[in-house]
Amino acid sequence: MTQSEPLSGAADGGTATRGTGRARTSHPSPAPPRSSVRQLAAASVGNAAEWYDWYAYSFLAVYFADQIFPKGSGDSLVPLLSTFAVFAVGFFMRPVGGLLMGAVADRRGRRAALTVTILLMGAGSLLLALTPTYAAAGILAPVVLVVARLVQGLSVGGEFAASTTFLVESAGPGRRGLFSSFQYVSTTIGQLLASGTAALLAHLLTEGQMGDWGWRVPFLVGALISLAGFWIRQGAHETHEVPGKASERPAALEALRRHPRQSLLICGITAGGTLAYYTWTTYLPTYAQMNAGISKGDALAVGTISLAFFAALQPLGGLLSDRVGRKPLLIGFAVGFAALAVPLLHAISSSFASLLLVQCAGMVLLTGYTSIAAAVNAEVFPARVRAAGIGFPYSLTVALFGGTAPYLGTWFKDAGHPGAFPWYVAGLCLVSACVYVILPETAKRPLDGAG
């Protein structure tokens, strides 16, 4: 099997060496997957389950906040603020999950890590469903909530590391971009399922019923979906040949220690993309309500429509990147946002049509990043440390720039400078554009460690 040299240039197992013209491997690569559909299903269903559980928390927080956290000094916002503080804590567990589960994927195999992450997410969801109220258990109630969210954050951070490598390594020649696109297809489906389930229950139940017990139902459903994902993943084909001797397996921090340049590249690749993603898919409805006066109902409806549109775009972006390369799409995304983020966000008015047009236009640009992010990240690192190499810097960057986007947007508004946030988005995308320009084109290179 002929392999091209990864960006690292290191002579790890499964990594090509310079000047030889031939690849040198320590261990044979695994046989090609028997079923591409099964591989895609194993990664996508599990990923959708992960993100269903992750987003269900934010959609349901308004219903369970005052049951878990007591109101302080008569301020009715204290429970909700406390609940969203726990949401943020989950974000900052993601780098830990990326490092730990990435190491599991590199040392024990991708399928082993995917099994652990789906079980962790299911356990976290079940724990949320069974969280006692403050009235019944006192301080134990918020403690259980925090533990459940920490487990979910650990799981989500590990999920990206493991499923990214698994998806891209499962792809046949010339199809890595297409397979990569299903990362965000499944993520978006999970988000839509979470919002749809919450909306359906809110429609069927009274406000009192939702506050008493209805909010627990989606978390129970999430635990069941996680079990289904676990079953599907059991039949998946392992894509990474693990060394037989424990001493030959990579150390947990080997990717950071031996490949610091690649780790920084992941941060630069991700920074603008994650900020644009969380701004356009999560924060934009709130931004439109605060700055343009659009109604909450219209903002949520536009968000749902645009997310469905976004999911449909992903495979098209992946296929295009397999034909023309990764760099044109990445540069198009970053330059597009650098030039258009400010005018697009300023174009939002109180009308349904204006928000829909702005959100869908942003989704088209954003697809240049999201549809191929998994492939680009996987192509940076050699197979030996690919999962851990991606997991930690990616999750850390998401926590720093993606997870803080709603907070910073609101902070700029409160500080009297709402127009500063669009410039912040444009500026960070311009930084990523510089990274994309110097990034080697990897679309046509054989993937290190692929069969």
Side-chain angles (χ1 to χ4, degrees):
M1 178 180 65
T2 302
Q3 296 171 315
S4 65
E5 181 185 0
L7 298 180
S8 66
D12 291 343
T15 304
T17 54
R18 292 185 184 273
T20 63
R22 294 187 306 170
R24 184 174 48 136
T25 58
S26 300
H27 301 277
S29 296
R34 290 168 295 200
S35 171
S36 295
V37 173
R38 186 68 185 240
Q39 296 293 99
L40 281 175
S44 300
V45 174
N47 198 47
E50 292 268 351
W51 288 98
Y52 167 90
D53 289 342
W54 179 259
Y55 281 114
Y57 182 100
S58 60
F59 291 125
L60 296 165
V62 67
Y63 294 108
F64 64 78
D66 58 1
Q67 291 205 31
I68 307 300
F69 294 96
K71 296 176 182 176
S73 304
D75 190 345
S76 61
L77 286 178
V78 168
L80 189 59
L81 288 172
S82 300
T83 307
F84 280 119
V86 177
F87 181 81
V89 168
F91 254 103
F92 283 92
M93 277 300 290
R94 288 171 62 171
V96 180
L99 183 63
L100 294 180
M101 291 299 103
V104 171
D106 290 332
R107 291 178 60 84
R108 302 289 182 180
R110 316 307 190 207
R111 200 176 72 170
L114 290 172
T115 298
V116 173
T117 58
I118 198 73
L119 289 177
L120 281 174
M121 182 57 80
S125 192
L126 182 61
L127 193 57
L128 282 169
L130 301 177
T131 299
T133 64
Y134 189 87
I139 193 65
L140 181 63
V143 169
V144 171
L145 187 74
V146 169
V147 170
R149 199 58 185 170
L150 290 175
V151 170
Q152 287 191 321
L154 191 74
S155 173
V156 165
E159 174 69 18
F160 186 88
S163 64
T164 291
T165 54
F166 180 82
L167 267 174
V168 177
E169 290 171 353
S170 295
R175 301 181 70 190
R176 294 199 300 267
L178 174 62
F179 272 54
S180 167
S181 69
F182 280 87
Q183 183 79 29
Y184 276 91
V185 170
S186 54
T187 296
T188 306
I189 288 173
Q191 187 173 358
L192 287 170
L193 285 174
S195 63
T197 302
L200 178 63
L201 283 170
H203 176 73
L204 294 176
L205 302 178
T206 66
E207 189 81 12
Q209 288 173 325
M210 279 297 293
D212 289 340
W213 57 270
W215 64 268
R216 300 180 186 273
V217 174
F219 294 121
L220 289 172
V221 171
L224 293 175
I225 295 175
S226 295
L227 285 178
F230 169 76
W231 176 76
I232 291 173
R233 285 180 169 180
Q234 295 311 292
H237 173 80
E238 178 57 64
T239 62
H240 178 57
E241 187 74 15
V242 179
K245 296 180 180 180
S247 60
E248 296 176 349
R249 298 170 189 169
L253 297 177
E254 182 174 323
L256 291 172
R257 181 169 50 83
R258 297 190 61 182
H259 306 286
R261 175 178 171 270
Q262 283 66 39
S263 298
L264 289 174
L265 268 179
I266 295 294
C267 294
I269 290 167
T270 305
T274 190
L275 175 59
Y277 174 77
Y278 277 96
T279 298
W280 245 256
T281 66
T282 303
Y283 178 59
L284 200 59
T286 303
Y287 178 89
Q289 292 172 59
M290 291 193 307
N291 295 281
I294 194 168
S295 70
K296 182 177 181 180
D298 282 352
L300 292 176
V302 168
T304 302
I305 294 169
S306 61
L307 279 173
F309 173 66
F310 180 64
L313 287 176
Q314 301 310 297
L316 300 179
L319 283 168
L320 182 62
S321 80
D322 285 331
R323 293 180 65 88
V324 305
R326 317 287 188 232
K327 290 183 65 171
L329 271 71
L330 291 171
I331 294 172
F333 146 72
V335 172
F337 260 99
L340 298 176
V342 174
L344 281 175
L345 291 175
H346 285 166
I348 297 174
S349 70
S350 60
S351 74
F352 183 96
S354 76
L355 179 58
L356 181 62
L357 181 62
V358 167
Q359 193 148 12
C360 286
M363 296 300 196
V364 173
L365 291 173
L366 186 57
T367 297
Y369 165 77
T370 55
S371 64
I372 57 174
V376 172
N377 288 338
E379 289 161 354
V380 166
F381 278 96
R384 175 178 168 83
V385 293
R386 181 170 290 138
I390 294 170
F392 180 73
Y394 172 84
S395 296
L396 180 62
T397 307
V398 169
L400 291 174
F401 297 107
T404 59
Y407 174 83
L408 283 175
T410 305
W411 182 83
F412 280 126
K413 173 68 175 178
D414 289 342
H417 305 289
F421 182 71
W423 286 104
Y424 169 62
V425 175
L428 198 59
C429 286
L430 186 61
V431 171
S432 283
C434 296
V435 176
Y436 301 150
V437 168
I438 65 172
L439 192 69
E441 179 60 73
T442 55
K444 304 302 181 182
R445 295 184 181 185
L447 184 70
D448 170 52

